[in-house]
Amino acid sequence: MKKNLFVLFLLLSVSFSSFAQTATKKNSPAMKASVEITAKQLSDYLYFVASDEMEGRDTPSRGLDTTAKFIGMNLSRWGFKPAGDNGTFYQKIALQRDVLDTNKTLLEIGGRKLAFGEDFLRLTGEGIIANTPLVYAGDGWTVKSKNIDAFKGLDVKGKIVVIYTGGNPNPRVITNPPVGRNELTGERGIGWADPLTNAKQKGAVGIILVASPSLQADWSRAKMFLGTGGMYPEKLRDEPAEKQMPVVIVSQKVGEMIFPIGQNPAKSGETLPSPNLETQANISVATKSEIVYTQNVVALWEGGDPVLKNEMVAIGAHYDHIGMNPNSPNADKISNGADDDGSGTVAVLAIAEALGKSKIRPKRSMLLVWHCGEEKGLWGSEYFNKFPTVDIKQVTAQLNIDMIGRSRKTDSAEPRDKELSGENSIYVIGSNMMSSKLGEIVANTNKAYLKMDYDFRFDDPKDPNRFFFRSDHFNYAVNGIPISFWFDGVHIDYHGVGDEPSKIDYVKMEKVARTIFLTMWELGDLKERPKIDKELPKELTQR
C-alpha cells in the first residue's frame, strides 16, 4: 500500500510539474523584476505620450515621431539592442501620399457643379471622365457561392457605377462585403469580386459612392482625411493612384440629385432594384505623389540561454492614434488616445524598463515592437510581418496590448460604458485560437498571480464586434504566430477627445502590465516553444 501511494505521489508530482508556473513563484527573477512596473511610472509615461504636445500621434506626424524618439531614447538607456534598420531602433516605412490638386478635382452631375469638400470627396484613383452616364449597382459585390451579383444584367462598360451600402468606405474594396470574410471563397475576381474589381472587369470608368448615414454623420472627419488626398505604405500598395479609376464619395444630399424621387437607397437604408438613372456626370481627379516617412520602433532584449535566445517572444502595442480634427466644433480638437493605445504603449515601455533592471534574463529573447499606423488599417504590423527586421519565424508567440487603462465603476449608469471591463477585469482574445499551450500559459499565469477576472466573451470567431480583426495581433496570427490580446473594451471616450490621461485607472494598468510581463517571462523560459495545434479559423484569416 505504501509503495502504491509513493508511486501515485510521483505521478501526481510529475503531472503537476508539467503545468507548474515558474515565473510566478515567490522570489523568482520574474517576480522580482515585475515590481518595477508601477502605477506611478505608468502615469508619468502616459502623461507625456498622451499630452497635447504629441498632437494625437497621427500616422505620420510630428507627435508620432517625437513619441518614437522618446521610446528609442529610453531603450538605449536600458541597454536594449536596436532591431530596426541599420543598427537603429526604427524600421522606416515609406508612405506614398497622393496630394490632390483641388483646382483640377471636379464633379458635375446633371449639369450641376458640386463643391469639393462639402458635396464630394475623392476616395482613390485619378483621371478625367466626360459626359458619362450613371448606372446603379447596389453594393457592387459579387459572391458566387451565395448567388450574389450586384452587376447582373447591367451594362456598365464605359459608364460610371453608382454604389451604395451602409458603413464606411474602404479604399481597397470600396465597401464591406455583404457576407462574412470566410465566405469569400475562391480567387478574387473569379469566386468573388468587390465593387472596384467588378467595375474594372466589366469596363466601367469610374465609381460614385453615396455616403451612408454613419459616414454622413462623420463627414467633417472624412473631409479631414480625404480632403487632401490618400496615403498608403508604398510597399503594401496594390497599384499607384494613376492606374486606378477615380472613385468619389458624394454626400446624401447629392444622392438625392442622382436617384429618381423615392428611389434613393441612402435615404431608405435599403438596397433597391436598379433604378433608371438618366443622369450624366463629369469627373476630374488630379493628384501628384510624394513620399513621406513613418516608423515602427523595434528592440531586442537578448535571452540568457545560449541556444534558446535565438527564439523570441514578441510583445507589442500601437503607439499611434487618430490625431487632430481642425474641423471639429469643439474647443478641444486633439484626440490624445490615452487609453487607445497610450496605455499599451507605456505598458510595453514599463515592461522594457523592468527587463532592463533585472539581473537575470529570460532564456529566450524578447522582441518589443511599437507599431505605427494601426488606426489607418494595421499598417505597421502588416509591414513588419511582410518585411521583418528579424527572423520572424523564430517568434514563438506575440502578446498584444491595446487599451488596458479604463475601467467601469460598479455604479456606472453610462450606457456607452456597458461593455467596459471592471476594475479587476480585462478581456483576453485569441490565446486559445492557435495554441493550447499558449492559452494554458496565459490563463495559469493569471491564476497563480493576481487572479484578475479574465473575460473571454469576445474570444469567438463569430464576435459581431470583430475585435480580433481590429488590432495588430491579427497580422501575426495570419503569419502563423500564436497570439494573445489584452483589451479593456470600448467606452464613451473611444476615438474621442475625452480619452485623456486623467481618466485612466493606473492601479488596474499596473496589475494588467505585471501579469502580461510574467506571462511573457513564462513563455520565455518554456523548454519548447508553444506548439501550434489548432488551425486559425477560416473566418479570422481575412479582414
Side-chain angles (χ1 to χ4, degrees):
M1 183 67 178
K2 288 183 179 179
K3 181 179 180 181
N4 289 339
L5 285 172
F6 181 69
V7 171
L8 180 62
F9 173 76
L10 285 177
L11 288 172
L12 288 172
S13 297
V14 171
S15 176
F16 178 78
S17 66
S18 66
F19 292 96
Q21 304 293 119
T22 58
T24 52
K25 285 183 177 179
K26 187 178 181 180
N27 295 324
S28 71
M31 286 290 282
K32 289 179 179 179
S34 70
V35 298
E36 296 291 340
I37 301 169
T38 68
K40 177 64 166 60
Q41 167 203 38
L42 293 164
S43 173
D44 287 345
Y45 289 151
L46 190 56
Y47 268 91
F48 177 86
V49 168
S51 64
D52 282 353
E53 287 78 6
M54 298 306 107
E55 300 173 335
R57 307 187 311 278
D58 195 10
T59 302
S61 70
R62 174 177 59 183
L64 191 72
D65 293 346
T66 302
T67 305
K69 296 289 188 194
F70 173 73
I71 295 169
M73 174 195 70
N74 281 298
L75 292 170
S76 179
R77 290 173 54 225
W78 300 328
F80 277 76
K81 181 178 179 179
D85 299 327
N86 304 317
T88 73
F89 288 111
Y90 312 107
Q91 180 189 30
K92 288 290 184 183
I93 301 175
L95 303 175
Q96 182 177 321
R97 180 160 61 190
D98 303 327
V99 181
L100 279 181
D101 184 341
T102 54
N103 292 322
K104 295 180 180 179
T105 298
L106 311 169
L107 178 62
E108 184 179 282
I109 296 178
R112 178 177 171 180
K113 293 182 180 180
L114 302 172
F116 178 79
E118 299 305 317
D119 297 322
F120 78 99
L121 298 167
R122 175 260 193 184
L123 182 62
T124 188
E126 66 176 58
I128 298 175
I129 306 169
N131 299 319
T132 303
L134 307 182
V135 179
Y136 175 63
D139 67 3
W141 277 85
T142 294
V143 184
K144 288 188 176 180
S145 64
K146 297 294 180 180
N147 294 317
I148 295 171
D149 187 357
F151 279 67
K152 186 176 181 179
L154 297 180
D155 177 14
V156 302
K157 188 172 183 179
K159 299 175 183 177
I160 298 170
V161 176
V162 178
I163 299 292
Y164 173 78
T165 187
N168 292 322
N170 180 328
R172 280 183 168 180
V173 294
I174 309 304
T175 64
N176 290 322
V179 299
R181 297 279 179 171
N182 62 307
E183 297 178 284
L184 301 180
T185 57
E187 189 177 340
R188 183 179 185 176
I190 300 176
W192 60 275
D194 57 83
L196 190 57
T197 301
N198 251 336
K200 286 179 181 177
Q201 288 184 337
K202 292 177 171 58
V205 293
I207 294 176
I208 292 176
L209 175 65
V210 180
S212 65
S214 62
L215 178 58
Q216 187 68 57
D218 205 22
W219 190 263
S220 64
R221 185 169 291 279
K223 182 179 177 180
M224 180 181 70
F225 286 119
L226 301 175
T228 56
M231 182 168 50
Y232 207 72
E234 189 177 32
K235 286 187 177 181
L236 299 180
R237 195 161 196 171
D238 294 331
E239 59 183 355
E242 62 268 16
K243 292 185 179 180
Q244 298 176 359
M245 69 174 65
V247 180
V248 297
I249 305 170
V250 298
S251 69
Q252 290 190 319
K253 183 179 178 181
V254 174
E256 294 291 322
M257 293 171 43
I258 297 175
F259 291 95
I261 295 174
Q263 293 192 27
N264 183 358
K267 187 174 182 180
S268 68
E270 300 175 357
T271 300
L272 302 169
S274 181
N276 180 24
L277 302 183
E278 298 180 354
T279 310
Q280 290 191 333
N282 297 310
I283 299 176
S284 174
V285 178
T287 68
K288 61 179 181 179
S289 294
E290 64 181 22
I291 299 295
V292 295
Y293 291 91
T294 188
Q295 63 280 309
N296 290 323
V297 184
V298 192
L300 193 70
W301 186 255
E302 288 194 332
D305 185 277
V307 176
L308 290 180
K309 73 176 183 179
N310 295 316
E311 294 182 343
M312 295 163 281
V313 178
I315 186 165
H318 72 90
Y319 73 110
D320 68 310
H321 193 52
I322 61 174
M324 300 182 289
N325 182 4
N327 299 315
S328 172
N330 301 318
D332 186 354
K333 300 181 187 301
I334 303 174
S335 295
N336 296 102
D339 191 27
D340 184 16
D341 184 27
S343 61
T345 297
V346 303
V348 178
L349 193 63
I351 285 169
E353 186 170 9
L355 282 171
K357 290 181 177 180
S358 176
K359 295 179 180 179
I360 306 294
R361 293 173 180 247
K363 293 177 182 179
R364 285 179 179 80
S365 296
M366 300 295 139
L367 177 68
L368 285 66
V369 187
W370 288 263
H371 305 100
C372 65
E374 189 267 0
E375 300 288 1
K376 292 291 198 293
L378 316 188
W379 284 355
S381 56
E382 182 180 1
Y383 195 93
F384 186 76
N385 275 271
K386 289 182 175 177
F387 308 102
T389 56
V390 299
D391 183 359
I392 203 160
K393 296 304 179 186
Q394 294 303 315
V395 173
T396 65
Q398 198 267 345
L399 310 180
N400 183 35
I401 311 176
D402 191 351
M403 298 173 61
I404 60 166
R406 292 288 284 265
S407 61
R408 178 177 50 81
K409 306 299 182 183
T410 54
D411 59 351
S412 173
E414 171 53 59
R416 286 170 291 181
D417 285 345
K418 181 177 67 173
E419 292 190 333
L420 179 60
S421 55
E423 294 171 313
N424 195 50
S425 177
I426 195 78
Y427 296 114
V428 180
I429 299 172
S431 60
N432 267 301
M433 290 284 188
M434 301 170 68
S435 170
S436 301
K437 186 64 176 178
L438 175 60
E440 173 193 306
I441 294 295
V442 168
N444 287 351
T445 301
N446 177 55
K447 289 176 184 176
Y449 182 46
L450 294 176
K451 298 178 176 63
M452 294 190 70
D453 177 13
Y454 270 12
D455 192 329
F456 295 94
R457 76 178 69 176
F458 300 126
D459 195 20
D460 180 358
K462 294 180 173 57
D463 168 30
N465 301 284
R466 292 173 59 83
F467 288 133
F468 188 86
F469 300 91
R470 291 167 59 177
S471 193
D472 292 309
H473 59 273
F474 171 81
N475 284 310
Y476 289 85
V478 296
N479 200 19
I481 298 168
I483 64 90
S484 186
F485 167 36
W486 285 262
F487 168 59
D488 59 25
V490 174
H491 49 74
I492 185 174
D493 294 316
Y494 176 69
H495 280 194
V497 296
D499 188 3
E500 297 277 2
S502 60
K503 297 181 180 180
I504 295 295
D505 182 345
Y506 293 99
V507 173
K508 174 177 176 173
M509 266 188 74
E510 176 188 290
K511 290 190 288 187
V512 177
R514 286 185 178 186
T515 305
I516 296 173
F517 177 83
L518 293 172
T519 304
M520 176 193 73
W521 197 298
E522 189 74 35
L523 290 165
D525 278 358
L526 285 178
K527 290 183 179 180
E528 296 180 353
R529 64 192 293 167
K531 182 180 179 181
I532 298 175
D533 53 9
K534 302 176 187 178
E535 186 175 346
L536 187 67
K538 283 187 177 180
E539 56 264 55
L540 299 182
T541 58
Q542 292 186 2
R543 290 185 74 223

